[in-house]
């Protein structure tokens, strides 16, 4: 599955992405036990489905990615090594959902999850920067839709710091 996904990242071929999704689904069907392997597989499948949504704009792909991301978070309990990544990925996915359907609840949830993830990532973690950017974008989105000045101030303060 990863070979297809890596090739897709180079070629942007939808057939490579579809192949990766199919193989991730097959792998997931063999990982019934709630363990690290299932968490990783769910995360990869969710990421591939987000890529599929970004190419096709099919909300079904986004909704499926959201469901898998929620399962990853559920399986990544407090103290789990993947919890920060799970929160960040789910927050990012929730923000995409907000952008598509303008569901303010999804935006609030995205901000909450991204804040929690940011607090869990170590300063030098390679994913912390993308989490920070995603949080700032989500805060700016909420400011644009609700006019809550504290959201804009939070995003600006973080950039200055």
């Amino acid at each position: 599955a990863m070979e297809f996904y890596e090739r897709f990242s180079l070629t942007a071929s939808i057939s490579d992405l579809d192949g990766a999704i199919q193989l991730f689904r097959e792998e997931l069907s063999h990982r019934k036990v709630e363990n690290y392997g299932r968490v990783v597989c769910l995360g990869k499948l969710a990421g591939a489905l987000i890529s599929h949504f970004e190419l096709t704009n099919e909300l079904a792909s986004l909704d499926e990615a959201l469901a898998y991301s929620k399962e990853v978070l559920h399986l990544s309990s407090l103290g789990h090594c993947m919890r920060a990544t799970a929160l960040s990925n789910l927050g990012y996915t929730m923000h995409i959902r907000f952008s598509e359907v303008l569901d303010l609840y999804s935006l609030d949830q995205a901000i909450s999850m991204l804040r929690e993830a940011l607090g869990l990532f170590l300063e030098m973690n390679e994913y912390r920067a993308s989490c920070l950017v995603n949080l700032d974008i989500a805060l700016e989105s909420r400011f644009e839709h609700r006019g809550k000045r504290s959201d804009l101030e939070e995003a600006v303060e973080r950039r200055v710091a």
Side-chain angles (χ1 to χ4, degrees):
M2 280 308 295
E3 291 172 7
F4 277 99
Y5 196 63
E6 288 169 1
R7 191 167 63 202
F8 159 75
S9 68
L10 296 173
T11 66
S13 165
I14 190 78
S15 62
D16 287 336
L17 182 57
D18 289 340
I21 290 169
Q22 179 182 347
L23 291 173
F24 282 136
R25 284 184 175 133
E26 286 176 23
E27 182 180 343
L28 186 61
S29 72
H30 298 295
R31 294 186 179 273
K32 303 283 186 205
V33 178
E34 296 177 355
N35 62 19
Y36 182 78
R38 182 169 176 81
V39 170
V40 170
C41 186
L42 283 164
K44 289 178 181 177
L45 178 54
L49 286 163
I50 290 169
S51 296
H52 190 268
F53 167 75
E54 290 170 342
L55 274 179
T56 65
N57 229 18
E58 292 176 16
L59 273 177
S61 294
L62 181 60
D63 289 340
E64 192 176 354
L66 197 54
Y68 290 134
S69 294
K70 286 178 180 178
E71 187 176 348
V72 169
L73 181 60
H74 173 74
L75 295 174
S76 303
S77 59
L78 289 175
H80 191 282
C81 64
M82 296 285 292
R83 184 156 181 89
T85 303
L87 283 162
S88 182
N89 290 343
L90 181 54
Y92 173 75
T93 306
M94 297 282 292
H95 185 254
I96 293 172
R97 177 136 182 81
F98 160 76
S99 298
E100 290 302 309
V101 298
L102 297 180
D103 171 24
L104 290 172
Y105 176 77
S106 292
L107 181 58
D108 291 340
Q109 290 297 302
I111 290 169
S112 175
M113 289 174 194
L114 290 165
R115 281 179 176 150
E116 186 178 344
L118 196 58
L120 293 174
F121 279 126
L122 299 175
E123 283 293 321
M124 300 307 292
N125 186 293
E126 62 185 297
Y127 300 111
R128 190 175 198 282
S130 65
C131 181
L132 186 59
V133 168
N134 290 334
L135 175 56
D136 285 350
I137 292 169
L139 287 165
E140 288 174 10
S141 294
R142 191 163 70 180
F143 171 75
E144 290 170 6
H145 285 85
R146 288 205 176 127
K148 192 174 172 190
R149 187 159 178 79
S150 61
D151 288 332
L152 188 59
E153 290 169 354
E154 181 182 342
V156 169
E157 280 178 30
R158 209 178 334 277
R159 287 185 188 152
V160 174

